[in-house]
Amino acid sequence: MSLNDMPKNYETAEVEKRILQKWLDGGWYARNDGTGDCTVVIPPPNVTGMLHMGHALDDTIQDTFVRFNRMRGVSTRWILGTDHAGIATQTKVDKRLKEQGIDRRAIGREKFLEACWDWTHEFGGIIVEQIKRMGCSVDFADEKFTMDPDYANAVRKVFCDWYHDGLIYRGKRIVNWCPSCTTAISDDEAEYQDEGGHLWHLRYPLKEAVSGQEYITVATTRPETMLGDTGVAVSPDDPEKAAFRGATVIRPIVDREIPIFADWHVDAGFGSGFVKVTPAHDPNDYAMGQDHDLPQVNIFDEHAVVVEGYGPFTGMTREECREAIIAWFEKHDLLDHVDDHDHSVMHCYRCDSSLEPWLSEQWFVAVDKLKGPATDVVKSGEVSFHPDRWTQTYLTWMENLKDWCISRQLWWGHRIPVFYCDACGWEDALEEDADVCPKCGAPLRQDEDVLDTWFSSQLWTFATQGWPNNLDEMQGHHPTKALVTARDIIALWVARMVMSSLYFTKQIPFEDVVIYATILAKDGSRMSKSKGNGVDPMDLINMYGADAMRFNLLTLVTNNQDVRFDADIKDGALVGSPRTEAARGFVTKIWNAARFVGMNMDGYTPGEPTIQTPADAWILSRLAKLSESVTRGIEEYRFGDVARDLHQFFWSEFCDWYIELSKASLKDSDDVRLAAQRNLVFVLDQALRLLHPAMPFVTEAIWEQLPQQDADSLMIAAWPEPATLAPWINEEAEKSIDLTVATVSAVRSTRARYGLSPKLELAVAVKAQDAEAAALTSQSDLVKQLANLSSLSIGPDEERPAEGSVHIEEGCEIYCDLTGVVDFAAERARLEKECAELEKERDRLAKKLSNSGFLEKAAPEIIEKDTARHAELCDQIERVTAQLAELV
RNA sequence: GGGCGUUUGGCGCAGCGGGAGCGCAACUGCCUUACAAGCAGUAGGUCGCAGGUUCAAAUCCUGCAACGCCCACCA
C-alpha cells in the first residue's frame, strides 16, 4: 500500500490493532540508547483495577511525553507495573470466597494467599491490556509487581534498615480500626462523612455533692463508650466548673470512681461543659489520658463487640450497646435530655464501615529525620511541581506530618519481618527468615501483620530498577524524569517516595511532579461507580478510537484542577462525547489530508523542499514556529496549549490554505508540480512527527505510507527540532499570505452577504502600494482560483467600480464589481457600521495617546504600536468615508 | 476553622497588565474532483459582584457571593 491507495475511511479498530502489533514486534517500547535520560515510572494501578478516566489522562500525558523524548533521541524507558493493593485486593478476594461459602479464617492464611495470587493472575493483566490499547509505549516486556520476589526483598531491606536505624518502632496507639476488615486504616485512608446524630446528655452522680449539686451532666455522641470512661474533663478557662475540679464522680452501670480534671482540649461552650474521657476509644481522650495518667480501658474486641466483664452488655455490637445504654440511663432517670447534633464520622474507604478508634499495638515509622530532607528538596526546586501551586500542598502536609502507622492486620501484603522468641524475649527484624532463636534456640514466631501498601509503593522509582542488588541498572536512570499523578496521592505516595528515596538512594526520586486535573462528570460531580456516571475509557476508544480520546484528553490539560468531561451516560452506558467526537473529526481530517497528498503523487520523485511560491515560504515558516511551540510546550507539560497549536496549524493553516493553494501548482508544469509535491510531502511528514506523541496510531498509519522513511517506525523517527527548522522562519512570506487570505476572504464575505453564487465569477480590483501589490500579484492566479474571479487587477491606481463593494484592509482596499447584482442600500449600511466601529476604536486610542500619564510611563514600544495603529485607523476611516460619499 | 481552585458568548474551555479568543451548538449559503466526519460566511460577551492599585485591569490587590476540592476538628 502507499499514499495513493489509502482507503477512504479510517477504520480505527482495525488500524490500531495492526499498528499496536507493529510497535510491539518492533521492540521499540524497551529502553533506547540515547543522550540524556527520560525514565518514567507509571503510577502502578491496582492489580484489581480497570482503567478509568484518571488513568486514561495520566497515561496519555506520560505517553505523549515519553514518545516525544524517544523521538528526540533521549534515552527513554517507561516502566510498567501494578500494585498488590493490600486492602483492596483482600476485600475483593474475601467477598469472592464468601460467595462460595468460604470464610478466610477457616481456610487459614496460606490458602487465602493462594486465592489472592489466583485473583492477581486472573485480573492483573486486564489493565495492562487496556494500557496497550491506549497506545502507551511502556516497556511491556519487563512488567513489575509490588509483590515480585526482587521487589519483596527491597521492601524487606527497607524495613530492616529503618528498624535497625531506629526509624521503625512499635507502640500502643489509637488507630482507626475497621471492625469489618479487622485492620487499622491510616488517617489518610479514612473518609469523613457527615451524619445526623444526637448529643446525649447523661447524668453522672458525684461522690460528694459540689455546691449542692448531686450530679454532673456529660454530653456525648457515643454513649456506648461510657463503659470505658476513666475520667471527666472540664475546660481550664471555665470559671463555673472550677469548683468541680478534683471532685470524684461515680460512673454508672459499672460503678467506678473517676476523677474530674481540667484540660485544654475541652471547649467550655460546647455541650454541657463536662466531657467524659474514654482514653481507649478516642484520640483526644487518649491524649488527655496520657497527660492525666488515666487507665486505658478497652471495651471492644477487634469486631467492635463489647468484651467480657460488662454483664448484659457483653457481646453487643456498638449499635446494640448504644441503645441498651440509653435505655439503662432512661430507666434510672439519668438521661438528662437529647439534642440533635450533626457530626462527621470516619468510614473505611474500602468497605465503608464506620471506623472505631481503637487502642492497639502497631508499627510506626518515625518521620522526624525524614521530613527535613524531603522538605528541602522541594523548597530548593530540585523536585518541582507542575502546576506550581501543588508545592504548597506538599510542604504543608510535610510540616504537619505525624509518625506513620505502617502495620495492617491483613494477610495480603508484605509480612512484617520481625521475629520474636517467646522463650527468652529476643526480637529482631531479619532480611532472611529464621526458625530458631539465635540466643536460646527456641522456635521463633513472625509478626502476623503486613505492611501498609504505601510502604512498598514508596520504593517504586528505585525498587523497579534493580535496587538494592543491582545498582548498575539504576545508573544514569535515577532520579526519574517525571512523575505524573493525581493530586489526592501527593501526600500518600509522592511525599513518601521523596522521603524513602532520599534515605536509601541519596537521590530525589524524580525531577518533576505533574499533577493533572481531576476528571469530573458532565454535571461537575465526581465520577463514581455508585452514581453510575463514570466513563469507561474503553468505551471511548471503541466509539471514537484511541487517538481521538487521547487528543481530547490533552486539550483538557491546563492550569485547572478539575475538568468536566462532556460524556453523556445513559443507564451506565456511554451515549456519546461531543468533544471526543470533535477530536475524531480531527483524526479524520488528518487522514483525508494525507489522502489528498497521495492522490496527487503522479510523477513524484524524492527531493528536498523548495520555495517557489510565497505559500511555500509561508507554510514552512509556520511549521518552524509550530515545532518551536510544540517542543517547548511538551517540555513544560503544557499539553493543552500543544494540542491547540497542533490543531490550529494542521487544520486552519495546512488544510484550509496551504493544500488549497497547492492545487494550482499541482496542475502546473512538471517542474512546478514536482516541487509542490515535495513540499506537501515534507510538510505532511514533519506535521505527522509533531502530531505523533499525541495521536500515535493515525500518524503512524499514514507515515508508513509516505514515499520514503528514515526509520522503521514513526515512533523512532527524528523529531523536527526547532533549531533545525528555524532557518525557514520568514516574516515577509507570512505577511504576503496574510494579504492573500484577506483578499480571498473579502470576496467570499461579499458573496455570502449578497447571496451570490460561488459559481458567479466576479471582477475584482485591489488598490495596493508597491510592496503589497507585488506580493499579491505573485499570488494572482491563486486568488482568482480560490475566489472564482473573472479578473483581478492590482495596483496603486485601482478605483472602485461605480457599483462595487469595498473592503478596507491594512495596506489595501478590495473592490468587487457588483454592477447589476446588488442592492446598494445594504452595502452602505454595512460600511456605516464598519466606520462606526473603526471610529470607536480610534477614539479610544486617541484618548489614550493624549493622556500625558500614558506617554510618560508606558513602554516605548507600546506607544509606538498604538500610534501606528491610530494612524492606520485614521487612514481607514478616511477611506471608508470617501467610499461612502461615492455610494449614493 | 485553615488552605486551594473556579466564575469569560447557549455549552465546554483558553487568555492572566496594553486591540475580548477557540471548539461545539445556532443561523445563512454551498454535495467546489482530500474530507458533508466537509467548505465558506454570519451572529452572539460591559470577562461573578463591589472597591482599590496603575497612564492602562478579563488580567494585579482587597472584600463579598456562588460552586467545587483538600486538610484539621467536631465530647
Side-chain angles (χ1 to χ4, degrees):
Chain A
M1 199 166 79
S2 67
L3 266 188
N4 61 8
D5 57 1
M6 282 167 66
K8 187 166 180 189
N9 292 317
Y10 176 62
E11 299 292 344
T12 54
E14 186 187 314
V15 175
E16 287 176 5
K17 193 175 168 198
R18 180 176 63 77
I19 298 288
L20 173 61
Q21 199 54 49
K22 170 180 171 175
W23 289 333
L24 290 169
D25 292 345
W28 303 304
Y29 281 5
R31 173 171 278 138
N32 59 311
D33 291 323
T35 53
D37 187 67
C38 176
T39 298
V40 174
V41 288
I42 203 167
N46 287 356
V47 70
T48 57
M50 301 280 277
L51 205 67
H52 60 243
M53 288 311 291
H55 292 126
L57 176 57
D58 194 335
D59 296 343
T60 296
I61 292 170
Q62 290 175 79
D63 192 51
T64 303
F65 188 69
V66 163
R67 282 180 185 271
F68 161 75
N69 276 287
R70 189 185 290 114
M71 288 176 76
R72 295 192 92 183
V74 175
S75 171
T76 301
R77 182 178 173 216
W78 188 6
I79 298 172
L80 171 70
T82 48
D83 193 306
H84 68 281
I87 296 178
T89 307
Q90 172 147 345
T91 306
K92 291 200 171 171
V93 173
D94 239 347
K95 198 176 157 199
R96 187 199 228 184
L97 289 174
K98 245 176 221 164
E99 283 164 8
Q100 299 165 14
I102 300 169
D103 180 54
R104 91 177 135 87
R105 289 168 197 81
I107 59 171
R109 186 166 191 144
E110 283 198 17
K111 287 268 184 214
F112 180 76
L113 289 181
E114 280 175 26
C116 289
W117 279 108
D118 287 347
W119 174 282
T120 299
H121 295 133
E122 192 174 336
F123 294 99
I126 293 178
I127 199 162
V128 174
E129 284 308 308
Q130 294 182 324
I131 291 169
K132 266 185 201 164
R133 279 202 61 196
M134 283 185 55
C136 293
S137 57
V138 299
D139 189 356
F140 290 103
D142 189 12
E143 187 184 332
K144 308 293 183 181
F145 181 51
T146 54
M147 296 269 280
D148 284 342
D150 286 350
Y151 202 98
N153 283 340
V155 172
R156 193 151 173 175
K157 177 177 167 55
V158 164
F159 185 96
C160 290
D161 283 3
W162 270 351
Y163 179 95
H164 293 124
D165 294 350
L167 271 73
I168 285 181
Y169 66 93
R170 191 171 30 160
K172 270 208 167 191
R173 284 295 175 91
I174 292 272
V175 295
N176 307 307
W177 184 265
C178 175
S180 175
C181 303
T182 59
T183 182
I185 303 290
S186 75
D187 288 349
D188 305 308
E189 290 165 337
E191 286 169 0
Y192 281 98
Q193 291 174 15
D194 285 331
E195 291 177 3
H198 301 285
L199 199 55
W200 281 276
H201 292 254
L202 308 178
R203 293 175 185 163
Y204 282 16
L206 285 157
K207 190 180 178 189
E208 290 164 7
V210 175
S211 314
Q213 247 181 273
E214 303 266 318
Y215 59 82
I216 57 156
T217 304
V218 298
T220 180
T221 54
R222 300 199 56 202
E224 66 275 18
T225 62
M226 63 79 58
L227 296 171
D229 285 357
T230 54
V232 172
V234 296
S235 167
D237 308 320
D238 187 353
E240 289 177 28
K241 305 295 189 299
F244 293 91
R245 291 187 209 171
T248 302
V249 298
I250 312 291
R251 189 190 54 181
I253 301 183
V254 189
D255 286 352
R256 178 179 184 136
E257 297 188 1
I258 58 177
I260 299 178
F261 58 89
D263 191 282
W264 63 268
H265 282 92
V266 180
D267 171 5
F270 187 88
S272 63
F274 289 100
V275 180
K276 63 189 235 12
V277 180
T278 322
H281 294 290
D282 182 277
N284 281 333
D285 291 7
Y286 179 81
M288 286 195 269
Q290 292 278 301
D291 291 346
H292 299 275
D293 287 326
L294 303 181
Q296 299 156 353
V297 178
N298 198 341
I299 63 164
F300 293 126
D301 70 6
E302 59 177 355
H303 302 297
V305 168
V306 180
V307 298
E308 290 298 322
Y310 292 94
F313 301 102
T314 294
M316 287 183 175
T317 64
R318 290 175 289 180
E319 294 75 20
E320 292 162 352
C321 184
R322 174 177 299 183
E323 281 185 32
I325 295 276
I326 294 163
W328 190 96
F329 272 80
E330 219 165 1
K331 185 175 158 198
H332 292 81
D333 199 26
L334 291 175
L335 179 62
D336 197 89
H337 67 285
V338 184
D339 293 333
D340 284 340
H341 178 66
D342 293 342
H343 59 140
S344 56
V345 178
M346 286 214 261
H347 286 257
C348 176
Y349 82 120
R350 278 295 155 202
C351 71
D352 207 40
S353 306
S354 70
L355 298 177
E356 185 63 37
W358 203 55
L359 195 62
S360 63
E361 287 266 301
Q362 301 289 342
W363 288 98
F364 294 86
V365 173
V367 296
D368 289 353
K369 287 181 188 162
L370 300 173
K371 62 202 274 189
T375 301
D376 293 343
V377 294
V378 169
K379 278 189 174 162
S380 71
E382 267 188 89
V383 175
S384 62
F385 284 82
H386 307 264
D388 179 54
R389 84 180 93 91
W390 300 110
T391 307
Q392 201 48 50
T393 303
Y394 173 97
L395 290 174
T396 304
W397 184 81
M398 202 53 94
E399 210 172 293
N400 300 325
L401 191 56
K402 291 182 211 147
D403 286 358
W404 173 20
C405 177
I406 52 168
S407 42
R408 295 289 182 276
Q409 289 64 46
L410 299 171
W411 285 348
W412 178 241
H414 296 277
R415 192 161 172 184
I416 290 178
V418 174
F419 291 79
Y420 308 92
C421 173
D422 293 326
C424 72
W426 177 91
E427 170 195 322
D428 200 2
L430 303 177
E431 288 194 43
E432 299 290 336
D433 287 353
D435 296 328
V436 295
C437 176
K439 201 168 147 195
C440 74
L444 289 178
R445 171 176 61 82
Q446 184 175 0
D447 198 294
E448 292 293 322
D449 290 356
V450 300
L451 290 164
D452 179 8
T453 302
W454 300 108
F455 189 90
S456 51
S457 49
Q458 68 175 331
L459 319 177
W460 192 241
T461 63
F462 52 97
T464 51
Q465 299 200 70
W467 188 91
N469 295 324
N470 184 9
L471 296 179
D472 285 351
E473 189 187 330
M474 276 172 68
Q475 191 62 41
H477 304 304
H478 195 276
T480 61
K481 179 66 187 158
L483 183 80
V484 184
T485 193
R487 64 166 179 270
D488 46 344
I489 53 176
I490 291 175
L492 289 171
W493 189 46
V494 176
R496 284 167 183 160
M497 283 200 283
V498 176
M499 290 193 285
S500 65
S501 178
L502 286 172
Y503 194 90
F504 289 102
T505 73
K506 311 298 176 206
Q507 291 177 331
I508 54 174
F510 30 68
E511 294 170 13
D512 295 322
V513 181
V514 180
I515 302 296
Y516 55 82
T518 302
I519 298 191
L520 304 175
K522 196 181 178 184
D523 63 359
S525 64
R526 264 179 182 275
M527 286 188 181
S528 75
K529 273 186 189 158
S530 55
K531 283 191 214 156
N533 62 352
V535 179
D536 183 346
M538 290 302 118
D539 289 345
L540 286 171
I541 291 177
N542 290 333
M543 200 176 276
Y544 302 112
D547 290 325
M549 180 183 75
R550 291 169 59 118
F551 190 79
N552 181 39
L553 287 173
L554 288 176
T555 63
L556 299 176
V557 182
T558 64
N559 284 326
N560 246 316
Q561 66 179 13
D562 298 313
V563 288
R564 296 181 180 204
F565 197 81
D566 66 354
D568 289 307
I569 306 288
K570 199 165 188 180
D571 301 328
L574 177 67
V575 177
S577 158
R579 285 185 61 134
T580 314
E581 194 173 332
R584 182 183 60 184
F586 185 39
V587 172
T588 308
K589 188 74 178 176
I590 296 168
W591 182 256
N592 280 308
R595 283 183 60 227
F596 170 82
V597 174
M599 285 171 177
N600 289 283
M601 293 300 284
D602 287 350
Y604 172 83
T605 58
E608 293 297 306
T610 49
I611 292 173
Q612 65 180 357
T613 69
D616 297 331
W618 167 75
I619 198 68
L620 291 167
S621 180
R622 300 300 304 156
L623 176 70
K625 287 184 181 175
L626 178 72
S627 110
E628 165 70 25
S629 72
V630 169
T631 300
R632 217 176 47 229
I634 297 178
E635 281 176 337
E636 294 170 2
Y637 309 107
R638 291 182 291 102
F639 297 97
D641 292 343
V642 169
R644 273 178 283 277
D645 288 347
L646 287 167
H647 186 274
Q648 162 74 17
F649 173 83
F650 199 90
W651 199 312
S652 306
E653 295 175 357
F654 182 59
C655 291
D656 286 353
W657 289 99
Y658 187 69
I659 284 185
E660 293 306 318
L661 293 169
S662 75
K663 284 177 180 173
S665 300
L666 288 169
K667 287 179 189 158
D668 211 315
S669 67
D670 286 353
D671 286 354
V672 174
R673 174 181 169 83
L674 182 59
Q677 288 169 330
R678 287 173 175 173
N679 291 342
L680 279 168
V681 169
F682 177 76
V683 176
L684 177 63
D685 179 338
Q686 295 289 301
L688 289 172
R689 291 170 200 248
L690 292 168
L691 285 160
H692 181 261
M695 313 169 94
F697 290 105
V698 69
T699 49
E700 175 84 72
I702 296 168
W703 193 79
E704 64 186 9
Q705 308 303 327
L706 292 179
Q708 73 273 355
Q709 289 86 11
D710 56 359
D712 292 332
S713 164
L714 177 54
M715 72 174 281
I716 51 166
W719 181 253
E721 289 293 340
T724 310
L725 293 171
W728 292 115
I729 291 176
N730 183 336
E731 302 295 349
E732 284 296 305
E734 292 197 28
K735 200 169 178 186
S736 155
I737 294 301
D738 288 346
L739 205 55
T740 303
V741 168
T743 306
V744 173
S745 295
V747 177
R748 286 173 178 169
S749 166
T750 299
R751 278 185 202 283
R753 183 168 306 110
Y754 299 112
L756 304 178
S757 164
K759 285 175 182 161
L760 176 68
E761 291 192 328
L762 294 175
V764 167
V766 177
K767 181 178 176 182
Q769 297 308 311
D770 305 340
E772 283 84 4
L776 194 57
T777 302
S778 70
Q779 297 297 296
S780 172
D781 289 345
L782 290 181
V783 173
K784 280 165 80 175
Q785 179 206 340
L786 291 170
N788 191 28
L789 306 182
S790 56
S791 69
L792 173 63
S793 49
I794 304 161
D797 303 321
E798 294 295 335
E799 286 184 10
R800 184 183 64 85
E803 293 189 357
S805 71
V806 190
H807 281 263
I808 309 283
E809 300 289 336
E810 271 191 62
C812 70
E813 291 174 36
I814 300 147
Y815 313 122
C816 293
D817 188 349
L818 303 175
T819 308
V821 289
V822 162
D823 165 16
F824 271 77
E827 177 65 4
R828 188 180 176 85
R830 187 188 67 78
L831 281 177
E832 277 169 351
K833 187 180 171 194
E834 187 178 328
C835 192
E837 279 171 12
L838 291 170
E839 282 173 346
K840 192 172 150 197
E841 196 187 343
R842 180 200 59 189
D843 293 347
R844 192 182 58 76
L845 278 174
K847 193 177 160 197
K848 195 172 171 183
L849 288 165
S850 64
N851 182 333
S852 59
F854 172 73
L855 295 172
E856 281 165 28
K857 298 184 184 176
E861 60 270 25
I862 297 293
I863 297 175
E864 196 178 317
K865 192 180 133 201
D866 283 350
T867 307
R869 174 72 183 150
H870 181 256
E872 172 65 30
L873 283 166
C874 290
D875 181 49
Q876 286 190 17
I877 289 162
E878 198 175 308
R879 288 184 284 156
V880 173
T881 309
Q883 300 299 344
L884 268 171
E886 290 178 27
L887 276 179
V888 182

